[in-house]
Amino acid sequence: MTSQEVRNQFLNFFKEKNHKIVPSAPMVMKDDPTLMFTNAGMNQFKEYFLGNSIPKSKRLTDSQKCLRVSGKHNDLEEVGKDTYHHTMFEMLGNWSIGDYFKKEAIAWSWELLTEVFKIDKDSLYVSVFEGSEEDNLPLDQEAYDLWKAIVPEDRIIKGNKKDNFWEMGDQGPCGPCSEIHVDIRSKEDKEKVDGASLVNQDHPQVVEIWNLVFMQFNRKANGSLEPLPEKHIDTGMGFERLCMVLQGVQSNYDTDVFTPLIREVEIITGKKYGTNEETDIAIRVISDHVRAVAFSIADGQLPSNTGAGYVIRRILRRAIRYGFTFLDTNKPFIYRLVKVLSEQMGKAFPELKEQYQLIENVIKEEESSFLRTISFGINELQKHIDTIKLAKNKVSASKVEGQPYKVTGGMAFYLFDTCGFPLDLTQLIAEENGLEVDVDGFNDHMKEQKNRSRKAAEISKGDWIVLIQTGSEFRGYDNLELVSRITKYRKVESKKEGEVFQIVLDFTPFYPEGGGQVGDKGYLEAPNGDVTYIIDTKRENNEIVHFAKSLPKDVSGTFKAVVDEKQRWRTACNHTATHLLHQALREVLGTHVEQKGSAVHSKYLRFDFSHFSKLTTEELRKVENFVNARIDGHLPLEESRNVPMKEAMEQGAMALFGEKYGDTVRTIRFGQSIELCGGTHVKNTADIWHFKIVSEGAVAAGIRRIEAITSDAVKEFYFDNNRMLFEIKDMLKNSQDPVKSVASLQEENLVLKKQVEQLLKDKAKGLKNELIAELENVNGIQFLAKKVDLDAGGIKDLAFEMGGQVDNLFLFLASEKDGKAILSCYISKDLVAEKDLNAGRIVRELGKYIQGGGGGQPFFATAGGKNPAGISDALNNVRAYIK
């Protein structure tokens, strides 16, 4: 049975049980501030479990693409080392939203596994929650009895809270669960060791295949449990593990989910899978990680240095590093796997085919960049190792002051944090050079960084205080002011934001952050005139949450909810401009242009789009002119709400990859521009006044970014430019042609700079002979420490010229330029090796006198500082290094 057939059979089974098949939500979370990525099948249904929305059907089923590489669920370091952990995986699931419960969930799971998929009943084990004294919960007797009617009691395992009690988070819906485990060992192995004893013991052939969660409690902030008003079913089955069982293999990587990718890696690298453990791990890592990265890019998340983008970059770099270290690849190759992946999974997930070229371009560029970083890191580590070897060669004993010669923990952490080197790569290179790594020191640095990050991210949330049992409705398209009541609130504390209150209103005019648009600000006004300022608005689990630094004195009263009209208007101008910009780019550059992200603020807009090259000045001018022509055209807003998705697409509405849309949508049209959009807009394009591009540049391979301004910001832009022009003209004695005057000054400056450079060179040559005459012989070293009147470049040229003429030279020169101090140290290479001297260490240590720092190579290094008065102290103390 192929993986495609497995997926289809699962979905069709539950379709016949009256479940609605829903598409997988994007893997990258955009509207849930508690998660970066979808890490479980139930994520997209949280609002239903919390009672914030009513589903179209109470029975749902899907195959959800998930990613587990951060936070509570982090499998990254296990991936590749075993045969059943993954970063990106599919989770097959069926859900009951207040409909059926344990009886049906258990019966149907057994029916599907044993009658449809025909898995041997004797290879299956089930577990039930044994209870918890901590939570005052007894054994899940109901689940136990239901299973006892199906399987022998010796195949029912009582599991603890860790294994058999599932929680959405520290707070929220939770409940006991039943796991189904499968034993795929050989008959001989089963006879030796009972499978029940291997359940939940990380055995590669006795694995959990399905988890049935019985959601029946709510975990409160104080840790207590209360029954939910409705009971729900949430199940999750690992698709890759199921394929392993059904295809009769011993590893997920031996299924047709991975074998096409593995074959392609073998062809590209010339390495054979199954012959060497290190090679096998590397191939598994690459085959797994390319899936995670490709799906993330297809969902709109590019690799970057922050947030979710950093996680994706880290996954890709881990794959590149394994290829570099164990498959001998020093050129980009992982991008070539994207074609195989899109052909293999494109039918189930069409976004892979539709975004194929972008995914390939981004991965290839990231590979090229990181391979350069790896080369830099190896060079840095080799310098460190060479210094250690020099010191080691000078001392016959293997220890100095009780410490063995090791690559320092600080260097190992620097390589990890700056160059992306995992510890094992640093250890591998160190071992090749006969050295160890100070692992304890590295761990200390890691712990310190994690503690800083954890403290900065720590959030304490109180329970919601519910005042009114009602929903939350947005009415901000038509109103900037409403009479509202607080339905619930809670206090949230974090190190970053301090104490903040989250408030939910029954009716709100405040737009919650979403679709790239920032959330509204404003205030709540009580009848007595007291004001509570709203500093931000977000959507969480389909509720609009207002953030305030304080609560109203009387939370039970009515309030006038007022949006900051000026900020909303400026934001609306920028949001409408992004639609016109999108249309302009497709018109000027071609229909290959697709929106890849946006940020709409009150002061500016940012628009990311797919395009293969930098925009020319002429293209930017055409884009600007196109947008401004639509502004001058006074195009009215044509808004349609609750339009069926199919109808909106037939009208030509643009939908964005990676966005989750409902059955009905809102369309926004200005002339020929029509898009699916939930944001706020101007009533007429004339309201925007003018559109101005302020920058255009690259974000990633094949992705460009335009930043632009509209309305008041454009007026300020032109005012500032006009002011600067008058100031420049005034400095140029009111030149009639300031451009020509500035060009003339630049030419004159270039000539003068060349003359100055030549004068400095001549000065350095004359100074060289003077300094050679001042050299002092100290213990066989030609030594000189002196302050000179040269810049850093002149000092370097002088030092190397003297080094070419004088053997055993130790030259320490200082200079003062523009109120700053410069220290430079040159040491002949023979002295570096013989006397264990290091110019980099010397300037770093003496740099404290000038309140600065620096570094360089063992034979030449420079430091800069802000305290020229300390130069004399540095010169006086340098002699100590050669005594």
Side-chain angles (χ1 to χ4, degrees):
M1 186 181 295
T2 67
S3 56
Q4 183 73 27
E5 291 169 338
V6 172
R7 188 188 297 110
N8 290 339
Q9 276 205 359
F10 178 90
L11 296 175
N12 288 332
F13 175 84
F14 282 103
K15 183 180 180 181
E16 291 172 1
K17 305 290 186 187
N18 298 317
H19 287 64
K20 177 181 174 65
I21 299 176
V22 295
S24 170
M27 195 166 69
V28 181
M29 301 294 288
K30 292 186 173 69
D31 294 323
D32 187 340
T34 65
L35 288 172
M36 279 187 182
F37 302 100
T38 297
N39 62 13
M42 57 74 58
N43 289 160
Q44 68 166 308
F45 308 122
K46 279 171 68 174
E47 61 195 67
Y48 303 146
F49 295 131
L50 292 166
N52 296 337
S53 298
I54 300 173
K56 296 288 183 183
S57 170
K58 288 196 168 188
R59 297 184 180 189
L60 303 167
T61 186
D62 76 351
S63 181
Q64 173 66 50
K65 48 191 179 183
C66 300
L67 191 69
R68 287 187 177 175
V69 288
S70 60
K72 179 182 175 183
H73 299 291
N74 189 346
D75 295 338
L76 182 58
E77 295 309 318
E78 301 300 321
V79 175
K81 295 178 182 177
D82 61 31
T83 59
Y84 55 91
H85 277 102
H86 302 289
T87 50
M88 180 267 167
F89 62 96
E90 286 184 64
M91 186 172 282
L92 303 170
N94 57 288
W95 289 271
S96 164
I97 316 297
D99 188 24
Y100 62 84
F101 201 47
K102 296 179 186 179
K103 180 180 178 181
E104 293 85 351
I106 288 173
W108 290 341
S109 65
W110 194 254
E111 179 186 350
L112 177 61
L113 291 177
T114 61
E115 296 179 24
V116 177
F117 288 138
K118 301 193 181 305
I119 297 174
D120 181 9
K121 296 177 183 179
D122 292 336
S123 68
L124 296 173
Y125 295 86
V126 299
S127 64
V128 298
F129 180 50
E130 67 181 6
S132 166
E133 290 185 11
E134 177 187 6
D135 287 323
N136 195 28
L137 291 175
L139 166 73
D140 187 354
Q141 192 66 50
E142 181 183 1
Y144 190 92
D145 291 342
L146 287 167
W147 279 120
K148 191 169 67 171
I150 297 173
V151 300
E153 283 193 77
D154 62 357
R155 291 189 171 270
I156 304 175
I157 298 160
K158 295 176 182 177
N160 59 25
K161 183 177 175 180
K162 176 179 174 290
D163 292 326
N164 282 89
F165 194 88
W166 188 92
E167 308 202 41
M168 187 184 290
D170 293 333
Q171 294 167 242
C174 55
C177 60
S178 272
E179 295 177 340
I180 304 175
H181 297 256
V182 62
D183 183 355
I184 58 173
R185 294 176 301 152
S186 67
K187 182 180 178 182
E188 292 75 19
D189 286 341
K190 289 179 180 179
E191 289 174 351
K192 292 176 185 176
V193 180
D194 179 32
S197 66
L198 300 176
V199 168
N200 282 326
Q201 299 302 311
D202 288 328
H203 193 288
Q205 293 165 304
V206 182
V207 294
E208 175 195 337
I209 194 172
W210 206 347
N211 191 11
L212 316 178
V213 178
F214 313 127
M215 216 176 284
Q216 60 191 91
F217 299 108
N218 177 50
R219 176 78 69 183
K220 301 182 73 175
N222 63 7
S224 64
L225 296 173
E226 62 181 7
L228 288 171
E230 288 189 314
K231 296 177 180 179
H232 312 289
I233 288 295
D234 161 25
T235 84
M237 176 153 58
F239 172 69
E240 294 78 10
R241 292 184 184 183
L242 178 62
C243 290
M244 173 182 70
V245 175
L246 297 181
Q247 293 178 10
V249 293
Q250 298 293 303
S251 161
N252 291 359
Y253 293 93
D254 292 333
T255 68
D256 69 342
V257 177
F258 288 98
T259 50
L261 292 169
I262 289 173
R263 281 197 298 270
E264 190 67 14
V265 175
E266 288 178 316
I267 292 169
I268 293 170
T269 65
K271 303 291 183 180
K272 187 69 177 173
Y273 184 68
T275 58
N276 175 277
E277 181 62 15
E278 285 186 340
T279 300
D280 289 354
I281 290 174
I283 292 176
R284 287 197 291 266
V285 165
I286 292 163
S287 301
D288 171 276
H289 288 11
V290 71
R291 288 163 29 104
V293 174
F295 272 100
S296 296
I297 295 171
D299 278 349
Q301 181 57 66
L302 301 175
S304 69
N305 288 329
T306 58
Y310 174 74
V311 175
I312 301 307
R313 175 165 282 168
R314 183 178 168 217
I315 295 171
L316 180 53
R317 286 186 167 189
R318 186 172 186 259
I320 298 167
R321 195 273 299 179
Y322 267 92
F324 179 87
T325 305
F326 301 108
L327 303 183
D328 302 325
T329 56
N330 55 15
K331 293 181 179 179
F333 78 97
I334 296 174
Y335 75 95
R336 293 165 63 182
L337 303 177
V338 176
K339 183 178 181 181
V340 175
L341 180 64
S342 64
E343 289 173 351
Q344 176 194 3
M345 300 187 70
K347 186 173 181 180
F349 301 99
E351 62 268 30
L352 286 176
K353 285 191 172 182
E354 291 161 347
Q355 300 293 297
Y356 162 72
Q357 195 61 58
L358 172 68
I359 298 168
E360 191 177 68
N361 289 345
V362 171
I363 292 178
K364 185 177 182 181
E365 178 61 30
E366 285 286 320
E367 285 189 88
S368 299
S369 174
F370 187 51
L371 286 169
R372 290 192 294 270
T373 300
I374 287 177
S375 297
F376 169 78
I378 288 174
N379 289 335
E380 290 290 290
L381 179 56
Q382 196 59 55
K383 289 178 194 174
H384 185 73
I385 288 172
D386 288 345
T387 302
I388 296 171
K389 285 183 173 180
L390 282 170
K392 191 174 182 180
N393 290 337
K394 297 295 296 178
V395 182
S396 58
S398 64
K399 295 184 178 182
V400 175
E401 297 178 359
Q403 293 296 319
Y405 286 96
K406 292 183 177 182
V407 172
T408 66
M411 172 57 73
F413 180 75
Y414 163 76
L415 292 170
F416 170 84
D417 196 44
T418 305
C419 305
F421 275 40
L423 179 61
D424 58 359
L425 177 56
T426 303
Q427 287 176 306
L428 181 68
I429 297 172
E431 186 180 326
E432 290 171 353
N433 286 270
L435 297 172
E436 298 177 18
V437 176
D438 178 10
V439 177
D440 290 339
F442 172 82
N443 289 334
D444 288 343
H445 281 84
M446 281 291 292
K447 186 177 180 181
E448 184 180 339
Q449 185 192 61
K450 287 179 179 178
N451 285 340
R452 285 196 304 267
S453 299
R454 187 180 67 252
K455 287 177 182 177
E458 276 180 356
I459 295 177
S460 172
K461 294 181 178 180
D463 287 319
W464 285 107
I465 308 299
V466 180
L467 303 177
I468 307 170
Q469 290 287 356
T470 185
S472 175
E473 184 179 334
F474 175 66
R475 293 186 177 180
Y477 293 136
D478 306 309
N479 303 280
L480 294 181
E481 184 177 310
L482 285 173
V483 175
S484 304
R485 294 178 301 168
I486 297 176
T487 65
K488 62 182 182 179
Y489 66 90
R490 69 177 173 184
K491 183 169 72 173
V492 176
E493 294 183 86
S494 70
K495 185 157 187 175
K496 183 178 180 182
E497 303 292 342
E499 185 177 275
V500 176
F501 291 90
Q502 296 181 343
I503 300 169
V504 178
L505 304 174
D506 55 354
F507 302 107
T508 179
F510 289 84
Y511 179 82
E513 179 183 323
Q517 180 176 328
V518 295
D520 280 335
K521 296 179 181 179
Y523 61 89
L524 302 179
E525 183 179 340
N528 66 358
D530 287 349
V531 169
T532 300
Y533 290 100
I534 302 301
I535 58 175
D536 200 1
T537 312
K538 297 180 184 291
R539 185 183 296 276
E540 184 173 341
N541 299 319
N542 205 39
E543 283 190 316
I544 298 173
V545 181
H546 310 77
F547 291 74
K549 283 291 186 181
S550 63
L551 281 174
K553 291 178 182 177
D554 180 12
V555 294
S556 63
T558 58
F559 300 90
K560 185 165 66 173
V562 182
V563 172
D564 183 330
E565 184 175 1
K566 193 167 188 178
Q567 177 176 290
R568 165 71 82 86
W569 177 74
R570 287 172 170 172
T571 305
C573 287
N574 285 334
H575 202 152
T576 299
T578 63
H579 286 217
L580 300 179
L581 173 59
H582 194 185
Q583 183 189 6
L585 289 167
R586 289 174 65 84
E587 182 72 23
V588 173
L589 304 178
T591 55
H592 65 279
V593 169
E594 292 177 352
Q595 180 177 340
K596 293 300 174 186
S598 67
V600 181
H601 296 260
S602 60
K603 294 183 178 179
Y604 71 94
L605 66 93
R606 189 180 73 216
F607 191 83
D608 297 345
F609 58 98
S610 55
H611 187 56
F612 45 82
S613 62
K614 179 178 175 61
L615 272 67
T616 65
T617 302
E618 179 63 17
E619 286 171 334
L620 288 171
R621 186 185 64 80
K622 286 182 178 179
V623 169
E624 267 191 3
N625 289 345
F626 185 97
V627 174
N628 283 315
R630 270 77 197 151
I631 293 171
D632 294 341
H634 292 224
L635 302 177
L637 166 65
E638 298 177 48
E639 176 196 22
S640 299
R641 302 176 192 175
N642 299 317
V643 181
M645 181 66 173
K646 184 179 179 183
E647 182 182 325
M649 299 305 290
E650 289 172 352
Q651 291 174 4
M654 299 273 302
L656 304 182
F657 283 102
E659 293 291 341
K660 179 184 173 183
Y661 297 103
D663 295 330
T664 61
V665 293
R666 176 174 178 254
T667 63
I668 296 295
R669 180 192 289 272
F670 289 98
Q672 296 302 310
S673 167
I674 177 170
E675 296 194 19
L676 305 182
C677 183
T680 62
H681 292 270
V682 296
K683 299 297 182 184
N684 190 292
T685 57
D687 296 339
I688 301 173
W689 188 73
H690 199 71
F691 170 84
K692 177 65 183 171
I693 295 174
V694 294
S695 70
E696 186 274 342
V699 178
I703 303 291
R704 309 296 299 179
R705 170 174 291 171
I706 281 178
E707 292 191 353
I709 52 177
T710 66
S711 185
D712 292 348
V714 178
K715 295 175 185 177
E716 292 174 12
F717 174 84
Y718 284 128
F719 176 82
D720 288 342
N721 275 272
N722 202 42
R723 176 183 53 77
M724 284 190 287
L725 176 60
F726 277 106
E727 289 177 0
I728 291 169
K729 289 180 73 173
D730 188 52
M731 293 173 68
L732 296 170
K733 308 302 181 186
N734 287 315
S735 168
Q736 295 301 308
D737 190 345
V739 174
K740 186 176 180 180
S741 297
V742 169
S744 177
L745 284 173
Q746 287 179 318
E747 290 178 12
E748 183 180 341
N749 185 54
L750 186 62
V751 171
L752 292 172
K753 279 181 70 176
K754 288 181 179 178
Q755 291 175 353
V756 169
E757 286 173 4
Q758 187 58 48
L759 288 170
L760 288 173
K761 285 183 179 179
D762 293 342
K763 182 179 180 180
K765 286 180 181 177
L767 185 60
K768 179 182 68 174
N769 294 328
E770 293 179 23
L771 297 182
I772 288 176
E774 293 182 38
L775 289 172
E776 177 185 356
N777 190 313
V778 181
N779 299 327
I781 296 173
Q782 297 299 310
F783 171 78
L784 179 64
K786 187 179 180 68
K787 183 177 180 182
V788 296
D789 185 20
L790 291 173
D791 62 11
I795 290 175
K796 182 176 181 180
D797 291 340
L798 175 62
F800 277 86
E801 282 197 29
M802 289 181 65
Q805 289 184 229
V806 180
D807 294 332
N808 295 333
L809 178 64
F810 186 114
L811 186 65
F812 189 84
L813 299 178
S815 178
E816 178 182 348
K817 288 291 178 184
D818 301 322
K820 301 289 179 67
I822 301 170
L823 302 179
S824 294
C825 183
Y826 176 92
I827 306 174
S828 295
K829 290 186 178 180
D830 289 343
L831 286 180
V832 170
E834 293 171 10
K835 303 286 188 181
D836 190 24
L837 295 170
N838 187 300
R841 185 180 71 247
I842 291 168
V843 297
R844 275 195 298 271
E845 292 173 359
L846 295 179
K848 65 185 179 183
Y849 293 111
I850 60 170
Q851 296 179 20
Q857 296 173 301
F859 58 88
F860 183 78
T862 301
K866 59 184 180 181
N867 180 32
I871 286 177
S872 59
D873 289 332
L875 292 172
N876 291 334
N877 282 279
V878 68
R879 186 182 291 266
Y881 288 94
I882 58 171
K883 286 186 176 179

